Amino acid sequence: MIVSERTYRFSYNAWLSILAVSIPFRIPATVLLVLFTAYNVFFFRELKFTRRRLFFMLLIAAPFLLDLLFFWNSSTLNEAVKHGEKRLSLVLLPLFILSQNHRFNTVLILRYYALATTSILVLCLVRFVIFYPELFNKYLNGIDLWEMGYAFSRSINIHAPALNMHVAFVAVINFYFFKEALGQIRKTHVVWRFVFFVLSVVILLYINTRLAIANAFIGIILVSLADVRKLRSKKVLKLLAVGVLGFALLSYGFVKIFPYSIEKFSEVTFAHLDKVGKLDELDNPEASAYNGLVTRLSIWKSSLEVALEHPIIGVGAADGKQAVIDRFEETNQHFLAKYKFPVHNQFLDFWIKFGILGLLVVAVYIGLFAYIGWSSKQVLCVFFFVIFLSANLVDDFLIRFDGIVFSGLWLSIFTKNALDIRSDKSL
């Protein structure tokens, strides 16, 4: 089948945009990933390899390569295969994306991804209000606000922490394009991009997750400071300040409507810190500590103990979670054992499973976002480093499909763009 170069380039940009939008929804994303693989195999002649491209492919695929290297260390063969299968996309995505010889329209991909994701989530929120009015009315009346984001995420069958990352990323991308529109002549661009920015912030505040809101604020500051010298007009700077203040005012207004947010971000988060490793001493840990920092610290304490018992080669990918649960039971932490909490820290998780090499691989994989973003001046890549690092300090996203594909896809796209920038400079 003969396809023009222009058509192939357009279709590839479309593929990457659609894949990015689908990631929060596991079944459609899985189907699209399979079709994307078949598409690349069909056009295998378009794949071009260089030493530099292969080097970055290996770096991005490093978590999967750990599964292969330590395959023998798992007690259950089937479970070891399942863990490796989850991370297979970290081989496929960089293999196909980095080997493309044409340059992607990364700006276009980011813009369509943010617009489509914002639109879908707004529709999901409207659907939530229509189909779950009793829950929405509870929130309006200030009842059980702690479960706000979880209920919304469950209504669309999305893992809540993963949705937090997407929404924070989308909100900052929308702000990025709002900032870019300020220097354009057509003011309609400013208006509709500001509208999408506001919509994404509303969704962010409705989900009401501490980490996501903090990350979005950091991202807005990063984007505001990036290339600030190019913004020579005082009018443009004033409009930019409006965007930053708009986020702050929306946050302030939300807190006024839902004052529980202040309690959640302060008292609930830092309550009972004297009960680390002793949660069962609380009268009702489900109500008083389930979402608190004390629960995370208790999990990390036990996880670190397991990691230090097997520091060199770990216990195997298939046995890591069970090893931590066994430690809960051995130390009579019945609350943690009952709910079988995972490690909730990707660094500790990989250290337990793969030993010290696992710890190094996580650091390199996540740090690659910072290196690529900083060296190629891609501020949104630097911000992705911020959200993915912070998310993996309190959760483990390299064991979940959405976290693996989400990071693998954007790391591959940002790296390809960085390689193209470097190639242009060498001409």
Side-chain angles (χ1 to χ4, degrees):
M1 182 179 179
I2 300 175
V3 177
S4 69
E5 184 68 19
R6 183 179 180 180
T7 301
Y8 181 77
R9 292 186 180 193
F10 173 82
S11 65
Y12 217 90
N13 286 325
W15 261 116
L16 295 178
S17 301
I18 294 169
L19 263 180
V21 173
S22 72
I23 290 173
F25 308 94
R26 179 162 185 169
I27 294 177
T30 302
V31 172
L32 286 169
L33 188 59
V34 171
L35 293 175
F36 180 67
T37 300
Y39 178 84
N40 280 277
V41 171
F42 186 79
F43 290 102
F44 72 94
R45 291 185 179 178
E46 297 291 334
L47 309 183
K48 308 295 180 184
F49 299 94
T50 65
R51 289 183 180 179
R52 190 166 184 82
R53 290 178 182 180
L54 286 170
F55 173 71
F56 282 104
M57 288 177 195
L58 289 173
L59 287 180
I60 298 173
F64 173 78
L65 298 179
L66 273 180
D67 285 302
L68 295 182
L69 183 62
F70 289 93
F71 191 77
W72 55 272
N73 200 27
S74 293
S75 60
T76 308
L77 181 64
N78 288 338
E79 286 298 317
V81 171
K82 287 180 181 179
H83 282 271
E85 184 182 11
K86 285 182 182 179
R87 287 186 275 270
L88 181 60
S89 59
L90 295 182
V91 175
L92 299 176
L93 290 170
L95 175 68
F96 297 139
I97 293 174
L98 268 63
S99 61
Q100 296 299 312
N101 225 25
H102 67 279
R103 183 165 187 164
F104 300 155
N105 192 335
T106 307
V107 171
L108 194 68
I109 293 169
L110 284 162
R111 185 185 303 156
Y112 284 157
Y113 159 71
L115 294 178
T117 303
T118 303
S119 301
I120 290 170
L121 290 177
V122 167
L123 290 175
C124 288
L125 185 57
V126 172
R127 171 186 173 273
F128 181 77
V129 174
I130 295 172
F131 286 96
Y132 303 93
E134 68 285 354
L135 289 176
F136 189 72
N137 288 332
K138 281 171 62 178
Y139 304 151
L140 291 180
N141 291 299
I143 303 172
D144 292 338
L145 292 177
W146 62 270
E147 65 172 352
M148 181 181 297
Y150 292 99
F152 174 62
S153 300
R154 285 195 300 269
S155 72
I156 50 179
N157 197 27
I158 297 178
H159 181 53
L163 181 61
N164 297 334
M165 284 199 305
H166 281 278
V167 176
F169 191 43
V170 165
V172 173
I173 293 174
N174 282 330
F175 181 78
Y176 174 86
F177 285 112
F178 164 66
K179 174 194 169 187
E180 292 296 305
L182 294 178
Q184 298 178 5
I185 298 175
R186 297 179 63 181
K187 298 307 177 185
T188 53
H189 285 183
V190 178
V191 174
W192 69 260
R193 289 183 184 181
F194 182 70
V195 168
F196 271 88
F197 167 60
V198 170
L199 288 174
S200 58
V201 171
V202 168
I203 295 168
L204 178 73
L205 294 174
Y206 187 84
I207 293 173
N208 199 230
T209 301
R210 292 157 287 200
L211 191 61
I213 293 173
N215 279 335
F217 189 70
I218 292 170
I220 287 171
I221 293 174
L222 282 173
V223 170
S224 299
L225 296 177
D227 298 324
V228 72
R229 293 179 182 177
K230 294 181 180 180
L231 302 175
R232 299 175 182 176
S233 168
K234 290 183 180 180
K235 184 178 180 181
V236 169
L237 288 173
K238 288 179 181 178
L239 288 171
L240 184 59
V242 169
V244 178
L245 288 173
F247 179 83
L249 289 173
L250 280 170
S251 302
Y252 176 77
F254 191 88
V255 168
K256 282 294 184 181
I257 298 173
F258 302 114
Y260 174 78
S261 300
I262 295 295
E263 182 183 346
K264 175 182 177 181
F265 285 20
S266 55
E267 295 177 19
V268 174
T269 299
F270 300 104
H272 310 298
L273 292 182
D274 59 321
K275 298 298 183 182
V276 174
K278 299 177 290 184
L279 294 176
D280 293 285
E281 294 181 7
L282 296 171
D283 292 335
N284 187 0
E286 282 88 351
S288 58
Y290 197 94
N291 291 311
L293 179 60
V294 64
T295 300
R296 286 284 202 278
L297 292 173
S298 298
I299 296 169
W300 295 340
K301 180 177 181 293
S302 296
S303 299
L304 182 59
E305 291 170 1
V306 175
L308 291 174
E309 287 181 359
H310 309 272
I312 306 303
I313 62 172
V315 300
D319 305 295
K321 183 177 179 180
Q322 188 57 49
V324 175
I325 295 172
D326 290 343
R327 177 50 58 96
F328 296 155
E329 294 173 347
E330 291 167 5
T331 53
N332 296 316
Q333 298 185 76
H334 305 296
F335 168 67
L336 297 181
K338 175 184 176 181
Y339 290 98
K340 298 181 179 180
F341 286 102
V343 177
H344 284 302
N345 180 291
Q346 193 59 69
F347 294 87
L348 277 174
D349 179 76
F350 264 42
W351 190 6
I352 291 169
K353 292 174 178 176
F354 305 113
I356 196 68
L357 189 57
L359 191 63
L360 177 63
V361 165
V362 173
V364 170
Y365 182 83
I366 297 177
L368 196 54
F369 281 101
Y371 170 75
I372 293 296
W374 186 266
S375 62
S376 58
K377 297 181 180 180
Q378 298 183 80
V379 66
L380 291 175
C381 184
V382 174
F383 174 61
F384 200 105
F385 163 73
V386 172
I387 59 173
F388 204 61
L389 173 63
S390 60
N392 280 288
L393 287 174
V394 296
D395 218 316
D396 18 37
F397 282 101
L398 289 179
I399 66 172
R400 294 187 54 84
F401 174 86
D402 39 25
I404 294 166
V405 180
F406 184 48
S407 62
L409 177 66
W410 285 113
L411 183 53
S412 299
I413 291 173
F414 285 130
T415 303
K416 176 64 168 61
N417 195 44
L419 292 175
D420 289 337
I421 293 171
R422 179 186 176 88
S423 178
D424 291 344
K425 289 181 178 180
S426 63
L427 293 178

